[in-house]
Amino acid sequence: MAEKGKSVYRIVINGSQEAIFRELTATDRLLPAIFNSRMHTTGLEPGGRMQMHTMTGKHVMVDGEVVEYDPPRRFAHTHRFTGYDDPVCRVTYELKPVTGGIEVTLTVDDLPLGTKTANEMTKGGKFILDNLKSIVETGRPPLGTRLMYWMFGHLEFVLPAKSKTENWPLEGRK
């Protein structure tokens, strides 16, 4: 079993708490702060299943379960990359008003150290928060992120077959 760790990322965003929370939890559109994925869920309440799909919907990148949903303050879910056979971790977003805006804290608990998941999550935390700040404050992600998403759209064919959506039914999974 992998040793477990914790990563914490923080940023202050000049925007409304509601707008920031919506950018993290919308299910009706792509989430440009979160790798331009689309959240699919059986319900945004504790116990609800949730997945992050690619832009086309052909692959499931993350599979998990909603642990907490307290808009516009807190959203937590379990997290498992479908392309890896690593243990599950927990992702929590906390939003609170501070001088200068809204402080967003992204915490990853039970991070399986020494795994591909740990490597990806370590890079992804800052990336998500920096993109979230740009989107809320300017209306779009930075140019470099937009170019990267364009590449994602053209390189989806290289994703592992085991992450295909048909291998990860949302209903009936536990």
Side-chain angles (χ1 to χ4, degrees):
M1 178 192 282
E3 183 180 340
K4 294 183 179 181
K6 179 177 186 172
S7 294
V8 180
Y9 308 90
R10 282 191 181 86
I11 200 163
V12 175
I13 299 174
N14 184 13
S16 78
Q17 194 166 341
E18 291 76 13
I20 296 166
F21 196 82
R22 176 87 174 127
E23 284 298 324
L24 293 168
T25 61
T27 59
D28 59 343
R29 60 181 170 79
L30 294 175
L31 298 172
I34 307 174
F35 296 92
N36 225 21
S37 60
R38 183 181 302 268
M39 186 187 313
H40 290 258
T41 181
T42 60
L44 285 173
E45 69 269 338
R49 301 292 310 148
M50 59 84 55
Q51 295 178 339
M52 302 306 284
H53 289 214
T54 56
M55 293 178 275
T56 66
K58 293 178 182 177
H59 291 83
V60 175
M61 303 309 298
V62 172
D63 182 65
E65 181 177 308
V66 177
V67 178
E68 295 179 61
Y69 184 74
D70 181 19
R73 290 171 287 287
R74 192 173 168 90
F75 175 51
H77 60 85
T78 60
H79 180 284
R80 179 180 188 276
F81 285 118
T82 61
Y84 306 145
D85 294 323
D86 295 340
V88 171
C89 58
R90 176 182 162 138
V91 174
T92 304
Y93 296 94
E94 294 180 275
L95 287 68
K96 71 176 184 179
V98 296
T99 302
I102 304 298
E103 181 181 76
V104 181
T105 303
L106 167 54
T107 304
V108 183
D109 288 299
D110 299 325
L111 189 60
L113 299 178
T115 64
K116 292 177 181 178
T117 294
N119 184 43
E120 295 297 324
M121 296 300 279
T122 300
K123 294 184 277 184
K126 181 175 177 0
F127 179 82
I128 289 170
L129 292 186
D130 287 346
N131 285 313
L132 181 62
K133 180 177 179 70
S134 180
I135 291 161
V136 171
E137 293 181 356
T138 71
R140 62 185 187 172
L143 177 61
T145 298
R146 294 192 314 267
L147 292 172
M148 184 174 69
Y149 291 167
W150 180 85
M151 287 179 50
F152 283 177
H154 289 84
L155 294 173
E156 188 171 352
F157 69 91
V158 303
L159 293 174
K162 71 180 185 175
S163 70
K164 286 187 176 180
T165 303
E166 61 262 21
N167 297 327
W168 294 90
L170 186 59
E171 298 289 339
R173 272 191 99 76
K174 200 67 173 151

